[in-house]
Amino acid sequence: MNTQALFSQLLIGAINGAFYALLSLGLSVIFGLLNIINFAHGAQYMMGAFVAYFLLQWAGLGYWTALLIAPIVVGLLGIVIERVMLQRLYQLDHLYGLLLTFGVALVIEGVFRNEFGSSGLPYTIPPQLTGAQNLGFMFLPTYRGWVVVFSLVICLATWYVIERTKLGSYLRAATENPTLVQAFGINVPRMITLTYGFGVGLAALAGVLAAPIYQVNPLMGSNLIIVVFAVVVIGGLGSIMGSIVTGFTLGIVEGFTKVFYPEASNTVIFVIMAVVLLVRPTGLFGRAP
Amino acid sequence: MKLARVLVLALATVLAAGASSAQAPAGMSDGVIKIGVLNDQSSLYADLAGQGSVVAARMAVEDYGAEKKGLKVEIISADHQNKPDVGSQIARQWFDADKVDVIVDVPNSGVALAINQIAKDKGKAFLVSGAATADLTGKACSPNTIHWTYDTWALANGTGNAIVKTGGDSWFFLTADYAFGHALERDTEAVVTKAGGKVVGKVRHPLNTQDFSSFLLQAQASKAKIIGLANAGGDTTNAIKQGAEFGIVRGGQNFAVLLVFITDVHSLGLPTAQGLIMTETFYWDMNDKTRAFAKRFAERDRGIHPTMIHAGVYSAVTHYLKAVEALKSDDGTKVIAKMKELPTDDPLFGKGTIRPDGRKVHPAYLFEVKKPNESKGAWDYYKLRATIPTEQAFRPVDQGECPLVVKK
């Protein structure tokens, strides 16, 4: 394999990694603060893509508006779920939250599949981002380049807000000791609700980004979520930077597998997960409890 | 760490989930003809077969007037999730416990080959519409199986030949990594080489792949004129859509879609799908009878127009009932023998026959997807390029190495 091909596969891997990173970031944020393993994340990602599709079909609003509105709409739906259901589970074992969100995901996906079938619906690339750049070593679709840059910016911004700002320090403090933080006059339950909404919004944002690349398909989330959970396990739960770095890295690893041994490309991440769990059960970036 | 363990456990649960989703009412007495429609009802092949095949089977039973003729027919269905083990387990339960007499459809060649063997062992009938591998009437042929609608040989022969003739003489395959993809790739490669073309490379991707960019880059680097897609359903649509993004066609390469259904074209939209050439054995807009069928079908299946798989299920079930009525028995082996004996005739495929190796034969058609301005609306997608007559549409009976034929 020549260097040209190597570079192009590296880049392709990074693009897929961008999706892994965005999704696992949302999961990490939610887990960090709510202690909920949000299995509905894949369904919420799918809903993001569908909201973009609806906006285009019914309201004539294009990609750029969808990029803003879809995460808000889906985030609000997430907030409803948090208020109505999840809130009741915080005192219980992780398993309950996991089962509830898994059930919610099945219901949402079932409804969409029933309504829209399994073949998927078309969503085109916005005109500003069509075409491709010849990078010398490869032919890079402009849209894919946009996805990498945009998600990297979102990931780093999220990291910055949580790790480096005052709001972030409240969030982190509330994770450690909610009672104490509340005693300082901070409305912890509302903060938790908004955080869940934000995490869900991140998933929806990834969905909008994915819509022009894949078909808008009710199954798009369930295909991805398993891999993303593996990414989270490898990176270590609750570590923000960990999920970003792991997301991109594993995308690249998967990309290379597609060249050297394509048949294994859908299993390689799980093999890595198994190895990481054996060697470092807390994940690569996780802290010991 | 406890949490990690919980997560891994949860992952395992999700992967295994749904294995129990097959529902089959038990405890049927005999005297009932029980038809089991087994296919993918929840994943990438659910629109091209799925519930639509159940609808088609129901329509066949109703149109045949089974009840008036004193035949009691019951239809059940299940989701095999594209897993041969799940499919086999359902088939065994259906045959052993639920007294199912015939299993129909079964897209996914891997699952179909497994059930082919089970039906043979248990002396039951198996009517294949969805699965593609030509091995079902080749090395794996069985006195209990009829392969109805199409197969990999017919696809390769129709589309492969047409493309090589128009100058597409160097190929790179993107192949779904299971029985179907391998069979389709093998049969197409044979056609291409025979017609003077060559295969410069191939890559095998896992079933249900979302991202094809890496494979497409490999195909691009191969400089082959034609990128042959030996896959189906969501895999095909994703590959074509992403191919457009990577400028495959603008770069002077073309796709050969070896198996594509009208539901896939619908999902891609004409701007992306226009110009694709494919082989099918049925299109809803062929004549008044097919149009009438499509109209009734669409009303019952969320507006989806029938694919050739749906049409094949309808046709196969109709002929099955005819044979059962003539024979006055639903013994699997005997019914299949009777079906081969009787000539077939139905509104969708017209008159036809079934060969000793289990191959149902009829003409195949080479279609081209219309340009957006040629289409009169949703589902008006194909124009006919050529008709491949019955004798040429399928692999000659003596070339399949089917033991049932060789013995003679």
Side-chain angles (χ1 to χ4, degrees), chain A residues 8-9 12 16 31 37 39 93-95 98 102 113-125 131-132 138-139 141 143-144 211-216 219-220 223 226 229-230 232-233 237 255 258-259 262-263 265-266 270 273 277 281-282 287 289, chain B residues 1-11 13-15 17 41-48 79 177 203-215 217-218 220-221 234 237-238 241-242 245-248 250 263-264 266-269 272 302 304:
Chain A
S8 49
Q9 295 298 344
I12 291 289
N16 288 328
F31 178 77
I37 300 167
F39 247 98
D93 192 82
H94 295 307
L95 212 50
L98 187 152
F102 183 46
R113 200 175 63 218
N114 208 32
E115 212 53 42
F116 301 99
S118 65
S119 310
L121 304 158
Y123 191 91
T124 49
I125 295 175
M138 78 173 288
F139 190 77
Y143 186 78
R144 302 255 176 171
I213 296 187
Y214 312 120
Q215 298 288 87
V216 176
L219 305 171
M220 63 196 289
N223 290 334
I226 306 281
F229 266 105
V232 172
V233 172
L237 269 168
K258 282 178 176 166
V259 181
E263 290 88 343
S265 58
N266 60 347
F270 300 102
M273 181 181 89
L277 281 178
T282 50
R287 271 163 261 144
Chain B
M1 187 190 172
K2 187 182 166 220
L3 194 62
R5 238 179 295 137
V6 170
L7 251 184
V8 174
L9 188 77
L11 274 178
T13 319
V14 174
L15 290 171
Q41 308 209 337
S42 56
S43 180
L44 78 171
Y45 300 153
D47 279 355
L48 54 89
D79 183 359
D177 189 23
V203 58
R204 292 183 168 170
H205 66 80
L207 176 65
N208 214 348
T209 290
Q210 289 286 297
D211 189 70
F212 278 88
S213 44
S214 182
F215 305 127
L217 281 184
Q218 296 176 43
Q220 218 162 20
T237 50
N238 266 335
K241 186 167 182 186
Q242 290 164 25
E245 201 190 335
F246 278 88
I248 294 282
R250 256 173 299 146
T263 45
D264 301 327
H266 184 69
S267 154
L268 278 170
T272 314
R302 296 172 288 144
I304 291 178

Side-chain angles (χ1 to χ4, degrees), chain A residues 53-73:
Chain A
Y53 176 81
F54 296 148
L55 286 172
L56 186 66
Q57 290 296 309
W58 299 340
L61 296 171
Y63 177 82
W64 301 103
T65 333
L67 212 51
L68 187 71
I69 296 183
I72 295 176
V73 172

